[in-house]
Amino acid sequence: MLSEKVEQMMEWSSRRSVIRMNGDKFRRFVKAPPRNYSVIVMFTALQPQRQCSVCRQANEEYQVLANSWRYSSAFSNKLFFTVVDYDEGADVFQQLNMNSAPTFMHFPAKGKPKRADTFDLQRIGFASEQLAKWIADRTDVQIRVFRPPNYSGTIALALLVSLVGGLLYLRRNNLEFIYNKTGWAMAALCVVFAMTSGQMWNHIRGPPYAHKNPQNGQVSYIHGSSQAQFVAESHIILLLNAAITMGMVLLNEAATSKGDVGKRRIICLVGLGLVVFFFSFLLSIFRSKYHGYPYSFLIK
């Protein structure tokens, strides 16, 4: 019976890197002994009516990882990648008391899954490289991730260089704008905002844009842990930092300009309001992520 199960799993793997399973297949090939192979299962909800954008993003990374294993020279019958969709295996979700998706689990060749056999999606994200590292820790199987070539970055860079080159050519007789301090300051601020908001962390870890609670449908844009964040969260932080910076610029303008006193007073009040309100908002987000942080200002 074991040889038949392994042969069947290998046949399915030859057709597609990720084996789709319903409740019966899951119980027979993943849960029931005998089994001398490990199985990685992604529990998900990919049907359009489920409106799970995170599931689709995670599935893309999962497919990249499974293809990297399937077409590598180290491929063997010791590890298989499978997927259980809620609409095809709701009984499996109920059996495992699972109420969220996507979820990645490792079912070892011997024994029952332990706590570490459930991938910490919220803290680590679902990038293929992170999944491969987790699988190596659980199975000792090393998977080198091969991503399909993506030329969008190269094309975007080429278009940017062409645009800048064309602009310089058209303005070749008047290049004073290159020495515009305001323009360079705005460009520098954009880079600073992007870096301080966590865009690089998003690029490395590949977190979901937001999290939707499958029980009540509530969407969370701020991650509750200091060890992780959502993409939407970094966008919010970027806007808050930009608003605070705008307030500081207005305060500086009100203090250094020589215009009408009443106008300067209004600019000063607007700048002070921006700094106070949005810094309070930023501090409240920091407080919600770092539990136990004692300080707050205006907004708790």
Side-chain angles (χ1 to χ4, degrees):
M1 185 177 179
L2 175 60
S3 61
E4 293 177 357
K5 291 172 68 174
V6 173
E7 182 180 355
Q8 182 65 73
M9 293 290 283
M10 288 295 290
E11 180 183 349
W12 285 333
S13 292
S14 65
R15 298 176 184 174
R16 55 175 59 186
S17 301
V18 177
I19 304 170
R20 298 189 68 90
M21 288 194 166
N22 54 24
D24 293 335
K25 289 182 179 179
F26 175 81
R27 283 183 287 271
R28 180 183 175 188
F29 292 94
V30 178
K31 293 284 290 183
R35 194 177 73 250
N36 63 352
Y37 52 85
S38 296
V39 183
I40 306 298
V41 184
M42 180 178 73
F43 299 94
T44 186
L46 295 173
Q47 296 302 317
Q49 66 268 21
R50 300 299 174 186
Q51 298 181 352
C52 182
S53 59
V54 179
C55 295
R56 292 191 291 270
Q57 298 171 14
N59 182 62
E60 292 176 0
E61 292 294 313
Y62 192 58
Q63 293 287 343
V64 169
L65 179 62
N67 287 331
S68 299
W69 168 243
R70 172 65 183 82
Y71 297 105
S72 70
S73 58
F75 175 72
S76 68
N77 58 7
K78 297 301 181 183
L79 178 66
F80 297 98
F81 288 85
T82 67
V83 60
V84 176
D85 193 286
Y86 180 80
D87 291 283
E88 299 174 2
D91 53 335
V92 177
F93 279 73
Q94 296 175 0
Q95 179 182 352
L96 298 176
N97 295 321
M98 193 171 297
N99 54 15
S100 64
T103 299
F104 297 93
M105 286 188 65
H106 164 242
F107 290 85
K110 295 181 180 180
K112 297 181 178 180
K114 301 178 182 178
R115 184 176 182 179
D117 287 310
T118 299
F119 183 67
D120 192 350
L121 180 70
Q122 299 297 329
R123 185 177 66 87
I124 304 177
F126 48 71
S128 299
E129 290 77 8
Q130 297 299 327
L131 286 168
K133 183 178 179 181
W134 168 67
I135 291 173
D137 292 337
R138 304 312 303 163
T139 66
D140 292 329
V141 174
Q142 303 292 333
I143 303 177
R144 183 180 178 184
V145 177
F146 292 94
R147 292 184 177 275
N150 185 356
Y151 301 105
S152 58
T154 304
I155 295 174
L157 180 61
L159 290 175
L160 179 62
V161 172
S162 301
L163 180 63
V164 173
L167 180 62
L168 292 176
Y169 178 77
L170 293 175
R171 299 289 298 273
R172 60 186 181 278
N173 296 325
N174 183 12
L175 298 178
E176 294 180 0
F177 70 95
I178 294 180
Y179 304 98
N180 189 311
K181 296 181 179 179
T182 303
W184 285 110
M186 294 295 293
L189 282 175
C190 290
V191 175
V192 171
F193 291 151
M195 294 297 104
T196 56
S197 64
Q199 296 295 335
M200 187 58 66
W201 191 92
N202 294 340
H203 179 73
I204 296 173
R205 295 296 184 90
Y209 186 82
H211 175 68
K212 184 176 181 180
N213 191 318
Q215 294 181 336
N216 54 25
Q218 183 178 0
V219 179
S220 300
Y221 298 101
I222 305 296
H223 199 286
S225 171
S226 61
Q227 303 296 322
Q229 70 176 17
F230 298 130
V231 175
E233 181 179 336
S234 62
H235 295 167
I236 294 172
I237 298 300
L238 187 150
L239 293 176
L240 291 178
N241 287 333
I244 294 171
T245 302
M246 177 60 69
M248 295 299 297
V249 170
L250 292 178
L251 287 174
N252 180 73
E253 183 69 18
T256 57
S257 64
K258 299 180 180 180
D260 180 68
V261 176
K263 183 178 179 181
R264 291 169 58 190
R265 184 179 290 111
I266 294 174
I267 294 176
C268 179
L269 291 176
V270 172
L272 184 62
L274 287 174
V275 173
V276 170
F277 177 77
F278 288 106
F279 179 77
S280 301
F281 195 8
L282 186 65
L283 188 62
S284 69
I285 294 177
F286 181 85
R287 191 166 183 260
S288 68
K289 294 178 69 66
Y290 289 82
H291 304 287
Y293 185 76
Y295 305 107
S296 63
F297 184 63
L298 294 184
I299 303 175
K300 293 185 179 180

